[in-house]
Each structure stands twice: as structure tokens, then as C-alpha cells.
Amino acid sequence: MAVNMLENHSVDEFLVACGLGPDEADSLGDDKATLFNIFLDFKSKRDQFTEIAVSLSRLIQKLPGVHSVRWRVKDPHHLIKKIARKKVAAVEKYAAISSGNYRDVVTDLVGIRALHLFKGDFPTLHRSIIDTWELDENPTAYVRKGDTEELRTLYRELGLEVEEHKDGYRSIHYITKTNFTKTTVKCELQVRTIFEEGWSEIDHKVRYPDFSNDPLIRDFLHIFNRLSGAADEMGTFVNRLAADLTALKAEQAAAISRASEIEDQLSEKIKKIESLSSKNSSMQSEMRDLKLLISRQKSELSNQIGIGGFASIGLSAIKLDPDLRVTSDTLRTLNISPSLYDDAVSASKNIIDTSKITDGSIEFPTKKKD
């Protein structure tokens, strides 16, 4: 029936619609009928492939590190153009292609592109992909000339084939196999950063079809490619810096919490012995000094946290009056461990400020031995 339809249509019209020139069409010979049969079969199943693409996209969107997902199903005319040119070039894989096996031969009938923000997200995303889908072949990492050996080594360690692309194209390509029905469907999954995607889209938009070989356009696009790579590196750096600052603030909060805990312990001790010190005027004076110390420290902590949070608390935020010193005799009388008192003073003096991060001199209080 398909052959009859081909006879009822102009062969030239069909091939022209697929983007083939006269010379290419003439070299196809008897393969023209095969191409038309493939065209009809794929066109009839395109809705099914669309459902597969949508379902896969939803699954990929949920993988860790994925920012967004794009998908497409190959246009039937573009499919025929691709197959025809492979046959004209005598590519062995396409020699015996037919309407019965083209879905196994052509691996990009469904194409999905997963975008992520940071280069550092890729290893986790890669493991999720290989743990979720069966691959038809080893994935390929396309890099550009000038990419670091460190990046290439990482890709090889993850089991990727590394290939330097002549046009500076960057992306990771997987061929996955999916069985939503009894028939296995292959899908080309591309993984790249948002900056790599932006450059690739602009490169394709500007260069094709009118400036494919224009040297000036090519040179500027290569510069643009290097800038997009630098943007990726800057994004990774900023992400790591934010993580380091978050960890530093957590340590700062822990130091403040420890200082507050020590203050609470001292206050509890004072409450227990206040009645015992009422008859001793010297001890009462020491008690007043100790309570004043704790009161001032709590007030400073409260004011600093209320005004600017952890980030605004400086190394000298809490100052102790040098005259407010508690003697070891008093501490023994009050049954207060000297190390507990030292921790309170040390913690008070060493609350850090994230604005001092470049000084390279931040230290946290360490507990002394009794």
C-alpha cells in the first residue's frame, strides 16, 4: 500500500519536502520506497513517541540537580533526510534499515535535554541516570579545546567517553532504552549547564543556515563560548562560597550557644548559693561583680543578635571590664569550676564576625584543662 502511495506522489516532491537535493535523490535508487515506508510508519506512531517523551521528561525533572527539561520528537521529514544522507555516505549501520527496524537503528527519535545550574551537580545527576535507565552505549562527554584536564579526568573516572568537539560544543550525551510497551524505544538524553545551553542555542541561531563558515562570526562565537565557560566556573565558585559561609555561620551560632549555656550554668550556681552569701559582705561584693558580668554579657548578646544577627557580631562585640575579675578563692567558695568560668570569659571574647572572613585569623575558643 505504501508503495502505491509513493507511485501516486511525485518522488521528487517527497524528497524535496524532506530537504534532499537532486543528486542525493538520484543516488538512493530503490531505497526511495524504503524511505517512504519508514516515513509513513513513523508519522503514524508520532503521537505514541510524544507520550513517551513527556513521560520521560517528567521522570528526569525529578532527578537531583535538574533545573529544567526540554524535549522533542523528531520531525518525520527530518528523519528521512537523516537516513538518506547516512545511506548516501554508506554508513554501515544504515545499510539494512527498514520500516521494521528503524526504531532500533535511529537513536534520537526522542530527544530530551536536562539542564542543571552548577558543574558540580553533574556527578550526582550522572549516577541517578545510570541507576535509573539501561544505556545502549557508553555516554559521551563533549568538551571544547581549552577545557581543563581536571574536568576531562572527572568524566573518564565516571565512565564517559571524552571527545573534543571542533565547534566548542559542550554536552553529555546518553542513549537510554525505555520499555513503556513491548517495543523498546531509544532516547537521546543530553545533559548540560544552563550557560552551555545558552551558548549552544545562540550559536545554532546565528550560524545556521547563513553563517556556517563565516570566520568573523565563528571567532566571536568562540570567544562567547569561553565566556560561557568562565560563567560556569564563577557559578561553581559562588555556590561553594555560599556553602562555606553557611557552615561558618553554623559554627558561629554553636559558639554563641555554648557561651549562653555557660552563662546559664553560672546563673544557676549563683541562685543556689545566694542565701549562703548574705552574711558575708566580701562574698556579697564578689557575687555582685559576677552577676554584673553575666548580665552585661547577656545584654550584649541580645543586642547584637537583635540588631544584625550573627553576621553583625564582631570579635570585640562583648567586652569585659578588666576590673571585674573573680578570684579562685571565690570560685571555690561558690563551688564553681574554674574551667567553667574560663569558658564563659573565653567564649565571650571570641564570638566571630563573618565580615572578618578575609583576615585569616578567626579562632574559636578551646576548653582549658582544669
Side-chain angles (χ1 to χ4, degrees):
M1 178 178 179
V3 176
N4 291 334
M5 290 182 67
L6 180 59
E7 291 173 349
N8 294 331
H9 288 70
S10 166
V11 175
D12 291 337
E13 288 178 358
F14 169 66
L15 296 177
V16 168
C18 293
L20 297 173
D23 292 339
E24 292 174 313
D26 291 342
S27 64
L28 289 171
D30 295 337
D31 288 328
K32 295 175 183 177
T34 299
L35 293 178
F36 194 71
N37 288 337
I38 294 173
F39 176 83
L40 293 177
D41 186 80
F42 182 61
K43 191 173 182 180
S44 69
K45 293 181 171 63
R46 199 161 188 268
D47 288 344
Q48 177 183 335
F49 280 94
T50 298
E51 292 296 327
I52 293 172
V54 171
S55 297
L56 284 174
S57 296
R58 289 173 178 168
L59 290 173
I60 293 170
Q61 181 67 71
K62 296 179 181 179
L63 296 180
V66 173
H67 173 272
S68 53
V69 176
R70 301 176 62 187
W71 63 268
R72 67 104 179 101
V73 175
K74 204 168 192 68
D75 179 88
H77 294 89
H78 294 169
L79 172 62
I80 298 306
K81 180 179 180 180
K82 175 178 181 175
I83 296 173
R85 289 185 170 173
K86 296 290 185 181
K87 291 186 76 66
V88 169
V91 176
E92 183 179 356
K93 179 180 177 181
Y94 287 80
I97 195 170
S98 67
S99 59
N101 68 5
Y102 73 93
R103 285 174 290 183
D104 187 57
V105 175
V106 182
T107 58
D108 65 344
L109 296 176
V110 173
I112 297 178
R113 190 170 296 161
L115 308 180
H116 57 100
L117 287 177
F118 306 108
K119 277 287 192 182
D121 293 338
F122 174 71
T124 300
L125 179 53
H126 168 73
R127 294 184 188 97
S128 297
I129 291 171
I130 62 177
D131 288 344
T132 304
W133 286 281
E134 182 183 355
L135 302 183
D136 188 58
E137 57 188 48
N138 282 344
T140 299
Y142 291 99
V143 299
R144 72 166 180 84
K145 185 178 180 180
D147 279 339
T148 65
E149 186 59 34
E150 180 183 4
L151 179 64
R152 298 167 190 248
T153 299
L154 171 64
Y155 287 152
R156 294 188 185 100
E157 289 176 348
L158 291 173
L160 282 67
E161 303 289 337
V162 178
E163 183 175 329
E164 190 171 289
H165 199 281
K166 63 182 181 66
D167 292 322
Y169 173 82
R170 290 186 182 103
S171 190
I172 314 297
H173 286 202
Y174 303 82
I175 304 299
T176 66
K177 296 196 288 187
T178 301
N179 293 88
F180 284 100
T181 64
K182 291 183 178 181
T183 303
T184 299
V185 175
K186 295 181 181 180
C187 168
E188 182 181 76
L189 171 60
Q190 301 176 2
V191 175
R192 61 180 71 158
T193 68
I194 288 180
F195 286 112
E196 291 168 345
E197 170 74 352
W199 175 84
S200 179
E201 289 293 298
I202 292 174
D203 175 79
H204 190 272
K205 179 73 174 179
V206 171
R207 290 180 64 189
Y208 301 104
D210 298 325
F211 296 101
S212 297
N213 298 311
D214 186 284
L216 183 61
I217 293 292
R218 185 180 63 248
D219 288 346
F220 272 102
L221 284 171
H222 283 170
I223 294 173
F224 186 23
N225 193 352
R226 291 196 293 272
L227 290 174
S228 70
D232 265 331
E233 293 177 7
M234 180 59 70
T236 297
F237 171 76
V238 170
N239 190 42
R240 289 176 179 172
L241 178 61
D244 290 343
L245 289 176
T246 299
L248 186 59
K249 286 185 177 182
E251 293 177 358
Q252 182 184 37
I256 294 174
S257 177
R258 176 58 180 161
S260 297
E261 180 183 343
I262 293 171
E263 290 171 351
D264 291 341
Q265 293 174 12
L266 289 173
S267 296
E268 187 64 25
K269 289 283 187 182
I270 291 173
K271 290 179 182 179
K272 290 181 179 179
I273 62 173
E274 274 185 331
S275 60
L276 300 177
S277 65
S278 59
K279 296 180 180 180
N280 187 317
S281 59
S282 174
M283 185 177 293
Q284 287 178 3
S285 176
E286 295 287 356
M287 283 293 298
R288 283 194 299 271
D289 290 345
L290 184 58
K291 290 172 69 175
L292 180 59
L293 165 66
I294 294 173
S295 177
R296 286 184 178 180
Q297 184 169 342
K298 285 186 175 180
S299 177
E300 289 289 345
L301 274 172
S302 177
N303 290 338
Q304 290 292 344
I305 294 175
I307 293 171
F310 296 145
S312 67
I313 299 177
L315 292 174
S316 59
I318 300 175
K319 299 179 180 179
L320 298 178
D321 188 333
D323 294 332
L324 295 178
R325 307 304 302 169
V326 180
T327 65
S328 59
D329 290 339
T330 301
L331 291 176
R332 283 195 296 272
T333 302
L334 299 179
N335 193 27
I336 297 175
S337 167
S339 64
L340 179 63
Y341 176 77
D342 290 342
D343 279 350
V345 175
S346 178
S348 301
K349 291 181 177 180
N350 289 281
I351 295 173
I352 66 171
D353 184 355
T354 54
S355 67
K356 308 293 184 181
I357 194 168
T358 58
D359 293 346
S361 59
I362 296 174
E363 296 181 359
F364 288 96
T366 55
K367 186 173 182 180
K368 301 179 181 178
K369 295 183 178 179
D370 292 343

